[in-house]
Amino acid sequence: MERITMVKIFDTTLRDGEQTPGVSLTPSQKLEIAIKLDELGVNIIEAGSAITSKGERESIKLITSENLNAEIASFVRALPVDIDSAISCNVDSVHLVVPTSDLHMTYKLRKTREENLNDALKAVEYAKNHGLIVELSAEDATRSDLEFLKELFKMGEELNADRMCLCDTVGILTPNKAETLVKNIKEYTKLPISIHCHNDFGMATANTVSAIHAGATQCHVTVNGIGERAGNASLEEVVMGLKSLYNINTDIESEKLYKISRIVSKMMKIPVPANKALVGDNAFSHEAGIHVDGLMKNTETYEPISPEMVGNRRKIILGKHSGKAALKYKLELMNIGLSHEQFEEAYSKIKTFGDLGKYISDVDLKTVINEVRGVTLEKKVILDELTVLSGNKISPLASINLKFANDCNIKDNIREASYGVGPVDAAINAVRKALSGVADIELEDYNVRAVSGGTDALIEVIVHLRRGNEVVEVKKAHGDIIMASVEALMDGINLLI
């Protein structure tokens, strides 16, 4: 096999994300994601399908007008009207998708092989005549007749198509089959081969990496592996798998992967699972005593790469499985020193909480430490007043009044007001607005769950806040979701200031 030194990343987040049930992005949101993908180092961004709607075309035009470094593509069928819509959006290329399995041709297109091949080649010629880069993509390639695939790609190459793509549309590939398919196609075309894998059997990443190993030089991926049904190959998993396991490089700046993962998650309202590879909150979290002991001696004992490589961070979780090494390491990370007696008392309290099924957050740990030290922690910022207005004929509005401790050198209270998409959002926006000139604190994550049932349920809110390189997690329970959210935010702010 020829050595691959650089793989191009073709990102389909914008199109595949919107084909995920319940997801709809505004043009400004799509533009923001496209800009972040470009900054990440993505080579080709599929901005959407121009034929879909007027709104979709507006979104694509917004993106092409930014003059990003990435090539901007539009998904098109083998129809002149689709290609004309893409041209009107000033895209650089078209992802020209042609169903190639007998199943799709018979039941979806209701065409013969000859009719479908003729339409596909006419579309390639039409797009090339209009100055577009053409990626000729075989939909359902992995259930297609190999000879028909070869014929399509060979004739597409003769018409000056620029790239060929093999689509595993229903995710039935296995790694060994992916390698075999790519090697077979490489014998019949000199053009770059791309791979597009779906995750129906959980093997999209493995199949994509195997296809690259076999000679494909481009892969289709999505942030967090979002997409129809079970999703697509995950950008972060493919990039880091290639880099760390195969020494195959891409242009992706991997330290930005965690950040864009959270941006896409927030905009598409699709949570990142805690156990998601590389960018999940548990990806570099450790609780078991034997694991933490190994980490203290050498982080490579229980981490295949450093979390900083993907912009994530190491977390030491304290609970009933934690040993003294975990507490010691956690205190070192927090730059906190305790006497032997204080350490033993703190450890005993933590084990007691753990046996009760309680997870020890950063706030809980600092509370325990202050208890064993006999210290009362003075809050730097105090919530004096919160008023929230909301209703079916009013935009949610929150006003807030904050007081500050004497050593903050802020004599006057700060009052601010802010709107939001809901009362909780308005309240949090008001707090952040009030503190914008005092401390640059970023809300990284927000989650809420009902601890009990009924309309008077106890609500637990979990927030992750960042100030510079320091991140804290705070949990707060309350009968009022607005107060639970604001109190959690205030506790985290006081920890960080």
Side-chain angles (χ1 to χ4, degrees):
M1 185 193 80
E2 63 188 73
R3 177 159 179 77
I4 302 169
T5 56
M6 187 70 72
V7 171
K8 280 191 173 184
I9 300 298
F10 187 120
D11 187 275
T12 66
T13 296
L14 293 175
R15 178 175 66 89
D16 282 303
E18 286 217 320
Q19 290 182 332
T20 301
V23 174
S24 181
L25 297 172
T26 65
S28 61
Q29 286 176 321
K30 296 186 81 168
L31 175 61
E32 183 176 346
I33 292 175
I35 290 172
K36 292 300 180 184
L37 289 171
D38 191 57
E39 292 173 353
L40 184 66
V42 166
N43 305 103
I44 304 163
I45 299 171
E46 188 175 290
S49 178
I51 193 64
T52 301
S53 67
K54 180 181 177 181
E56 187 79 342
R57 288 188 288 279
E58 289 176 357
S59 297
I60 297 173
K61 287 177 183 177
L62 264 181
I63 293 170
T64 56
S65 67
E66 281 292 310
N67 295 316
L68 302 177
N69 293 317
E71 175 187 315
I72 307 301
S74 175
F75 175 98
V76 298
R77 297 166 296 176
L79 297 169
V81 65
D82 280 30
I83 297 169
D84 287 340
S85 292
I87 292 169
S88 73
C89 296
N90 301 313
V91 296
D92 303 302
S93 63
V94 287
H95 178 208
L96 202 167
V97 179
V98 180
T100 55
S101 68
D102 289 328
L103 179 68
H104 275 234
M105 286 187 284
T106 301
Y107 291 100
K108 188 172 78 171
L109 298 182
R110 300 190 184 280
K111 291 182 179 180
T112 65
R113 287 188 181 185
E114 291 72 23
E115 290 171 330
N116 190 36
L117 181 62
N118 186 52
D119 289 346
L121 296 176
K122 282 182 178 179
V124 171
E125 188 172 28
Y126 186 79
K128 290 303 297 182
N129 287 341
H130 284 80
L132 291 167
I133 298 168
V134 174
E135 179 157 333
L136 180 56
S137 200
E139 183 181 15
D140 208 23
T142 50
R143 293 190 295 185
S144 300
D145 176 69
L146 183 60
E147 294 306 314
F148 182 66
L149 277 181
K150 291 175 180 177
E151 183 180 7
L152 171 68
F153 286 160
K154 190 66 179 176
M155 296 181 74
E157 182 176 357
E158 292 172 358
L159 290 172
N160 297 316
D162 300 276
R163 302 184 292 262
M164 306 298 178
C165 181
L166 297 164
C167 296
D168 185 25
T169 302
V170 291
I172 61 165
L173 269 183
T174 60
N176 61 316
K177 289 180 180 177
E179 288 205 12
T180 300
L181 178 60
V182 170
K183 287 176 180 178
N184 278 329
I185 295 300
K186 273 181 67 70
E187 293 179 1
Y188 285 84
T189 179
K190 295 178 181 178
L191 294 179
I193 295 175
S194 184
I195 186 74
H196 179 110
C197 293
H198 282 260
N199 202 41
D200 296 79
F201 287 92
M203 291 194 285
T205 293
N207 291 334
T208 300
V209 171
S210 294
I212 296 295
H213 185 252
T217 55
Q218 180 182 282
C219 54
H220 291 199
V221 293
T222 61
V223 176
N224 298 332
I226 59 168
E228 298 172 89
R229 304 185 311 280
N232 294 58
S234 164
L235 185 154
E236 54 278 359
E237 293 172 11
V238 170
V239 166
M240 296 310 296
L242 290 173
K243 181 176 183 177
S244 299
L245 306 178
Y246 287 89
N247 198 30
I248 295 175
N249 297 315
T250 66
D251 288 320
I252 299 298
E253 297 182 29
S254 63
E255 66 278 2
K256 296 179 180 178
L257 287 170
Y258 181 88
K259 183 72 173 179
I260 195 168
S261 165
R262 289 309 183 271
I263 290 172
V264 169
S265 171
K266 181 178 180 180
M267 288 191 183
M268 295 190 175
K269 297 180 176 63
I270 303 175
V272 177
N275 64 337
K276 174 74 169 66
L278 301 166
V279 294
D281 284 335
N282 288 351
F284 298 94
S285 295
H286 310 273
E287 180 180 348
I290 190 171
H291 284 214
V292 177
D293 182 61
L295 282 172
M296 290 177 66
K297 296 166 182 173
N298 187 326
T299 57
E300 292 182 7
T301 53
Y302 288 100
E303 290 178 349
I305 62 171
S306 69
E308 292 77 16
M309 282 184 69
V310 292
N312 207 335
R313 62 189 177 92
R314 181 177 300 115
K315 289 201 299 184
I316 305 301
I317 305 299
L318 297 178
K320 69 177 182 179
H321 300 293
S322 302
K324 291 183 179 180
L327 177 57
K328 181 181 177 182
Y329 190 36
K330 181 81 171 181
L331 293 174
E332 288 176 357
L333 291 175
M334 299 171 74
N335 197 27
I336 294 173
L338 296 177
S339 68
H340 176 73
E341 292 76 14
Q342 290 172 336
F343 181 89
E344 292 295 329
E345 185 180 351
Y347 181 68
S348 177
K349 286 178 178 290
I350 288 167
K351 295 294 277 188
T352 299
F353 286 142
D355 286 336
L356 293 172
K358 183 172 177 58
Y359 158 75
I360 312 301
S361 69
D362 291 349
V363 173
D364 295 326
L365 178 58
K366 288 197 174 183
T367 300
V368 168
I369 290 167
N370 287 326
E371 285 179 1
V372 301
R373 282 176 165 177
V375 173
T376 301
L377 184 65
E378 181 188 6
K379 290 185 176 181
K380 301 292 185 183
V381 187
I382 302 160
L383 175 64
D384 181 55
E385 182 184 336
L386 170 66
T387 304
V388 179
L389 297 175
S390 186
N392 67 331
K393 292 187 177 181
I394 184 173
S395 296
L397 173 66
S399 65
I400 196 161
N401 184 34
L402 300 181
K403 290 183 177 180
F404 295 83
N406 293 331
D407 58 356
C408 288
N409 296 318
I410 300 175
K411 295 180 180 180
D412 300 322
N413 292 2
I414 294 182
R415 298 187 66 91
E416 279 293 354
S418 183
Y419 290 100
V421 296
V424 172
D425 187 48
I428 290 177
N429 288 342
V431 174
R432 295 167 67 184
K433 190 175 177 182
L435 290 172
S436 61
V438 179
D440 183 18
I441 292 174
E442 179 183 357
L443 176 63
E444 278 204 336
D445 200 14
Y446 172 92
N447 288 289
V448 62
R449 71 182 183 94
V451 178
S452 56
T455 57
D456 60 347
L458 186 66
I459 302 298
E460 183 180 62
V461 169
I462 307 168
V463 298
H464 289 88
L465 300 174
R466 177 185 290 274
R467 188 185 190 193
N469 293 323
E470 188 175 6
V471 179
V472 295
E473 177 183 85
V474 184
K475 291 185 179 182
K476 205 72 177 180
H478 200 287
D480 184 329
I481 187 174
I482 300 173
M483 290 308 301
S485 302
V486 173
E487 287 179 4
L489 192 66
M490 295 303 299
D491 281 353
I493 287 167
N494 275 294
L495 279 172
L496 289 170
I497 291 181

